[in-house]
Each structure stands twice: as C-alpha cells, then as structure tokens.
Amino acid sequence: MFITFEGLDFCGKSTQVKLLRQYLIDLGQKVELIREPGGTTISEKIRKILLDRENSKMTIEAELLLFSASRAQLVREIIIPLLKENYYVISDRFHDSSIAYQGFGRGIDVHKVKEIQEFAIDGAIPEITFFIDIPIEEVKSRREKFEPESWDRIEVSLDDFYERVRAGYISLSHNNKRFILLDGLKSIEQIHDEVVKAIERYNRL
Ligand code: TYD
C-alpha cells in the first residue's frame, strides 16, 4: 500500500509519518519510509540543488523539472519494487507537492504540472493521501522557532505564496477521493488516531 503525507512546511507531517511507521511495524507489516525530494543517491543530490539558498537564480520551470526528476528516479528505483513486495510505502511528500507548490504556488499551468507528474510517477498513485492543514499564521509562528539562517530556499517564501499553495491543497483534497484532510492544529495524538482509523477503514486491518 502506498500512503503519502502532504501539507505546508511545518505542518507536522514528519512526526506523523514516523508514528504511522511505528504503528505498522508493531502490527508486523513491512514498512519503508521515504522523503521527497530525496530517497535515492541521485535524488538526494537533486535535493541539495533544490534547497540550496545560493541557487536564487533557479527558474520555476527548472525547479519543477528537478523535483519531478528526483521523483522519477525514486519511483522506479524504490517505490515500485517495494510495492511489488507488498511493503507499506509511506512518503513524506509526493507528486501533489509539485501540483500545490509549483502549480498553484509558483503559477505554472496546473494541467501541465499534472501531465509531467503522470510521466514522472509511472502509475504509482497513492492509495491514501493525508493533507495536514494549518493556517499560514501557524506556519509563520512555527517557522519563528528556527533560526532564519536555517530556512531553505522554499521556506523563505512569502505569505502569499503559502496562501496559494494551501488553496491548491484544499482544492486537491476536494477533488480527489484518495485525499483525507486533517486539522493540523489538533494534538499529535489526535491526528495520529485519525490517520490510523483511515488506514484501518481502507484495509480492514
Ligand atoms: P523539506 O525540508 O523536505 O520540507 P518538509 O519537511 O516541510 O517537507 O523541503 C522540501 C521543500 O520543497 C518544501 O518547502 C516543499 C518543497 N517542495 C516543492 O516545492 N515541490 C515538490 O514537489 C516537493 C516534493 C517539495
């Protein structure tokens, strides 16, 4: 089963991904956790280029294609082979991030972004996608807890960019049955509970 987590930076995805991994391991399942961009040697190199704040000249088109290139490698090298071996593959971000960030956020034609994603992911569409929603004010207050020097190239983005990304995610979650919208202001335990219940419903674990 292929499960993805999506949301704005600092929404708490990474915590939920780890909790779900442990939950499934405790059930005796085979689980692999991956993060995007990254997850293979080639994809991690692409990740460095993408997040490096010195690359301020990167065009939005190059950005989209680099995220998609990293994903194309990850899908073929890791995700598809593991799904064939009946693993639970949990990904911290996947193709919906490109639709939300590069499409809705950066303003690249959303249909074009989706077409590129189809090519990149080769049919590996997640069964369930959790969108952890937090308001922009919450992104800002959580971001303040980290030194500005540590923010990556995307995290330094302005509020209106994040507003568009969030609107993109909300639209995706209304239009795709595989999406489950979670309130990111709830406690870690409450959100984990909802994640587990959704997977149980799907699988009758
Ligand atoms: P990362 O440090 O992994 O952030 P997070 O822990 O919040 O996921 O950095 C990934 C950044 O790249 C994040 O700001 C979202 C952005 N991104 C895109 O813009 N498009 C994409 O397709 C992906 C996968 C990520």
Side-chain angles (χ1 to χ4, degrees):
M1 185 178 188
F2 186 23
I3 302 161
T4 59
F5 282 77
E6 295 285 352
L8 297 178
D9 303 77
F10 309 107
C11 71
K13 282 180 292 95
S14 312
T15 306
Q16 292 302 329
V17 159
K18 286 183 201 129
L19 286 173
L20 176 60
R21 173 176 176 269
Q22 197 53 49
Y23 169 81
L24 291 168
I25 287 175
D26 291 345
L27 284 180
Q29 304 288 347
K30 297 190 281 187
V31 187
E32 184 71 26
L33 202 69
I34 49 190
R35 70 160 179 185
E36 271 233 34
T40 68
T41 311
I42 294 169
S43 307
E44 290 292 335
K45 285 185 181 164
I46 300 175
R47 177 188 174 87
K48 286 213 179 83
I49 301 172
L50 276 165
L51 300 185
D52 186 348
R53 274 167 63 173
E54 286 193 357
N55 289 334
S56 57
K57 280 192 193 154
M58 190 183 297
T59 64
I60 56 177
E61 293 80 7
E63 179 182 275
L64 168 64
L65 292 171
L66 283 170
F67 277 117
S68 308
S70 158
R71 183 167 303 129
Q73 185 68 32
L74 178 69
V75 162
R76 289 160 183 81
E77 191 179 323
I78 310 273
I79 297 178
I80 291 177
L82 287 177
L83 290 175
K84 281 189 184 144
E85 286 181 44
N86 291 323
Y87 269 77
Y88 276 85
V89 177
I90 309 171
S91 190
D92 188 341
R93 297 194 179 283
F94 196 56
H95 69 312
D96 297 307
S97 282
S98 285
I99 300 169
Y101 279 77
Q102 280 65 54
F104 287 88
R106 300 282 196 227
I108 303 177
D109 176 34
V110 171
H111 293 290
K112 197 169 277 174
V113 177
K114 285 184 178 169
E115 253 174 49
I116 294 171
Q117 296 319 301
E118 270 178 34
F119 178 65
I121 70 178
D122 197 21
I125 296 172
E127 269 91 24
I128 297 186
T129 298
F130 293 103
F131 163 44
I132 306 182
D133 185 34
I134 53 169
I136 310 304
E137 287 310 311
E138 188 66 17
V139 175
K140 285 202 299 195
S141 75
R142 292 186 189 183
R143 183 171 64 177
E144 296 307 321
K145 295 191 188 112
F146 297 87
E147 291 296 314
E149 290 72 34
S150 73
W151 302 352
D152 65 39
R153 199 178 56 80
I154 312 262
E155 284 166 358
V156 296
S157 300
L158 302 170
D159 295 0
D160 58 338
F161 172 73
Y162 275 116
E163 287 289 4
R164 290 194 300 274
V165 176
R166 184 182 184 208
Y169 274 130
I170 291 172
S171 150
L172 283 171
S173 68
H174 287 158
N175 294 316
N176 288 285
K177 278 210 181 105
R178 68 183 158 84
F179 262 81
I180 295 179
L181 194 153
L182 301 169
D183 177 358
L185 297 181
K186 288 187 179 168
S187 73
I188 291 175
E189 294 73 24
Q190 274 177 308
I191 297 174
H192 175 61
D193 242 39
E194 290 180 29
V195 166
V196 165
K197 288 210 179 87
I199 291 174
E200 283 176 349
R201 264 200 312 277
Y202 189 93
N203 270 345
R204 313 249 179 276
L205 274 178

